[in-house]
Every structure is written in C-alpha cells, then in structure tokens.
C-alpha cells in the first residue's frame, strides 16, 4: 500500500491540539475526516511528526498515511484542501518508502516562539504580548540551554517517559522590530518544554526568577517543579528535518 507524506500548515487557535479528541476539534481529526470523504468512508490513520498542544500553530508539520487510491499524487493536495477548513492547508504531498515514519525518521525539529513588545493587538492570537524584553539577557539564558540536557524541570511530568534528555542545536532570541522571536531546534522535545523554557527565561529578565535558579533547574532536573509557562498562541512548529531521500 502506498505511503504518502504531506507538508501541512495550520492556525491552531480553534483546535484542541494535533491529536484526535473524543469531543473537541483537532488537526489530526480534520485531516482524517477529509481523507474519509475522499475514500468514501474508509478510516485512514494520519500520523504526525509531533503532537502540538491546544492553540499551538505550525508553519510546517509533517504527517504520513497509507492509502490505496487511484488518485494521482498531484491531485491529492487540492482534493484534501477542498475538504479541509481554511485554517488548515496541505502544502505538498509525496509518495515515500513504506519504512518512512514522520516521527521516528525525523532528525531535527525547530520551533519559533513570537513575543510582541508593543501595544499592537491585531496579531494577539499568534503572539505573547510581553511588553519590552531584554534580548541580551535572554540570549545569555538561551546559551545555557545549548547541548545535551535532561529537561525534566522544563516539561510536563509524565511517568511513562523515561528518557528526558534532549540535544539542543539552536537556542537564540532575535529582535525583529516590535516582535522578539525565540528559535529552538533539537532532536526531540518534551511536553510543554518550549513554553516552559520561554516563560522561565522571560520571568528571569523580569526578576521573578534568578539566573542561578534557572541554571539549577537545568543542571539538577526535578519532577513537578512549579515553573513559568508561556501561553500557547505564540508557539509555532517551524520545520521538521529529515535525511536524504526522506526530504521533499
């Protein structure tokens, strides 16, 4: 059976995250619903490269599904988009080898978190309105995150997750006008990890936490720590990277 890989963008504001829910709308649920229409009722499971939280967006989410269809690949993208709401778009579709897996084959994921520092309100659903930020101090903290760390302190505790070590290859704040962006790339991420890191770094610059306290949480990981979490709406899954033939 052919395996298809799709590149998706979505505004997560109206959704209860990626994963299918019993009663709430989800990105996965909308995609599977569109495929069910195209396949005349067949249940097709869509697997995502990662499970974005409620309210989180994606500039590039990657998913795969197996589907026996006579439809040519170039027609699948417009056919899916014709049955999806306007806040979810399939950008590309390709056939991939049967052993390709969007989650396990990924080598790097990158997120961007957007903070607005002025009083402009029209993008309030996709930014965290923080007020002025000290980007130099934020980057001092971001540098500490680089490399391999156990992020137990900066993630929602899940006893089923035994390995909480992630390797960070990018951690950087940048000032782009009245928007301050934080970009982070890693081999893997834990639940709420980016939002805890962003929230904690911002609160250090607001003097609600010290730099040494931040460092201690990073170097001496602890479970169920009371910590600062940035709101969901500023977070975007920016890109997912694969090796060689797994790339579009």
């Amino acid at each position: 059976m052919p395996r298809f890989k799709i590149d998706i963008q979505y505004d997560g504001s109206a959704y209860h995250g990626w994963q299918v829910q019993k009663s709430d709308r989800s990105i996965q649920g909308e995609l599977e619903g569109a495929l069910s229409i195209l396949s005349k009722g067949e249940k097709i499971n869509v697997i995502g490269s990662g499970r974005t939280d409620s309210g989180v967006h994606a500039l590039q989410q990657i998913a795969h599904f197996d589907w026996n269809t006579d439809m040519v690949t170039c027609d699948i993208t417009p056919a899916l988009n014709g049955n999806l709401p306007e806040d979810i778009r399939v950008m590309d579709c390709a056939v991939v080898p049967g052993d390709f897996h969007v989650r396990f084959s990924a080598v790097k994921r990158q997120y961007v978190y957007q903070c607005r520092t002025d009083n402009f309100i029209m993008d309030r659903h996709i930014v965290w309105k923080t007020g002025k930020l000290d980007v130099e101090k934020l980057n001092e903290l971001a540098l500490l995150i680089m490399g391999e760390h156990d992020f137990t302190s900066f993630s929602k505790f899940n006893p089923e997750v035994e390995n909480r070590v992630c390797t960070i290859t990018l951690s950087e704040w940048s000032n782009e006008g009245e928007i301050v962006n934080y970009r982070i790339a890693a081999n893997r991420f834990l639940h709420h990890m980016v939002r805890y890191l962003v929230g904690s770094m911002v609160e250090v610059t607001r003097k609600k936490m010290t730099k040494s306290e931040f460092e201690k949480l990073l170097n001496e990981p602890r479970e169920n720590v009371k910590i600062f979490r940035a709101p969901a709406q500023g977070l975007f899954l920016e890109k997912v990277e694969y090796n060689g033939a797994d790339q579009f």
Side-chain angles (χ1 to χ4, degrees):
M1 185 181 296
R3 175 159 291 186
F4 295 92
K5 175 184 176 186
I6 52 174
D7 184 331
I8 316 148
Q9 289 186 358
Y10 52 83
D11 176 345
S13 303
Y15 299 93
H16 202 75
W18 165 266
Q19 191 172 9
V20 167
Q21 306 290 316
K22 287 184 178 179
S23 56
D24 296 305
R25 295 176 74 202
S26 70
I27 306 298
Q28 184 185 24
E30 295 291 337
L31 288 164
E32 291 182 354
L35 280 167
S36 180
I37 293 170
L38 296 180
S39 62
K40 297 182 171 33
E42 182 184 352
K43 175 70 171 74
I44 298 170
N45 190 28
V46 177
I47 308 297
S49 66
R51 297 175 180 176
T52 51
D53 294 334
S54 178
V56 174
H57 320 290
L59 296 169
Q60 185 195 55
Q61 168 72 283
I62 305 295
H64 80 250
F65 55 87
D66 299 330
W67 185 25
N68 238 334
T69 179
D70 294 328
M71 188 178 294
V72 295
T73 306
C74 61
D75 290 338
I76 292 177
T77 297
L80 281 171
N81 286 334
N83 289 283
L84 285 168
E86 291 185 348
D87 47 9
I88 304 174
R89 290 291 90 179
V90 175
M91 309 305 292
D92 203 356
C93 178
V95 177
V96 290
D99 62 353
F100 169 81
H101 194 287
V102 283
R103 187 157 23 117
F104 303 134
S105 300
V107 295
K108 184 186 293 186
R109 295 166 178 83
Q110 182 168 310
Y111 284 87
V112 59
Y113 194 98
Q114 296 188 151
C115 300
R116 177 162 283 284
T117 60
D118 64 1
N119 293 321
F120 185 75
I121 64 166
M122 298 309 295
D123 58 357
R124 64 192 183 280
H125 299 302
I126 58 170
V127 298
W128 179 18
K129 290 179 64 64
T130 57
K132 295 300 179 183
L133 293 172
D134 188 329
V135 176
E136 184 177 344
K137 287 184 178 178
L138 286 168
N139 270 320
E140 289 177 8
L141 298 165
L143 193 60
L144 299 174
I145 298 166
M146 288 291 291
E148 187 176 275
H149 300 278
D150 182 326
F151 286 93
T152 297
S153 301
F154 294 97
S155 62
K156 184 176 180 180
F157 178 65
N158 181 351
E160 296 180 5
V161 177
E162 295 181 4
N163 177 17
R164 298 166 197 158
V165 175
C166 306
T167 303
I168 310 301
T169 54
L170 173 69
S171 177
E172 184 177 61
W173 291 83
S174 60
N175 197 336
E176 300 172 28
E178 300 302 330
I179 295 288
V180 172
N181 286 325
Y182 174 64
R183 281 185 169 83
I184 182 169
N187 62 329
R188 62 195 291 261
F189 287 91
L190 305 175
H191 194 190
H192 290 337
M193 177 175 152
V194 180
R195 291 169 61 192
Y196 279 126
L197 286 169
V198 169
S200 298
M201 285 188 277
V202 168
E203 295 306 337
V204 170
T205 67
R206 291 172 171 172
K207 299 184 179 178
K208 293 183 179 179
M209 177 189 283
T210 66
K211 183 179 178 180
S212 61
E213 287 172 332
F214 181 86
E215 277 192 271
K216 188 173 182 179
L217 287 173
L218 190 63
N219 297 325
E220 300 175 22
R222 290 183 289 139
E223 299 170 357
N224 293 317
V225 180
K226 286 189 176 181
I227 204 166
F228 301 98
R229 185 175 70 185
Q233 74 267 14
L235 183 59
F236 291 75
L237 175 58
E238 189 169 36
K239 62 181 177 180
V240 185
E241 294 185 12
Y242 299 88
N243 283 331
D246 293 338
Q247 292 279 12
F248 276 124

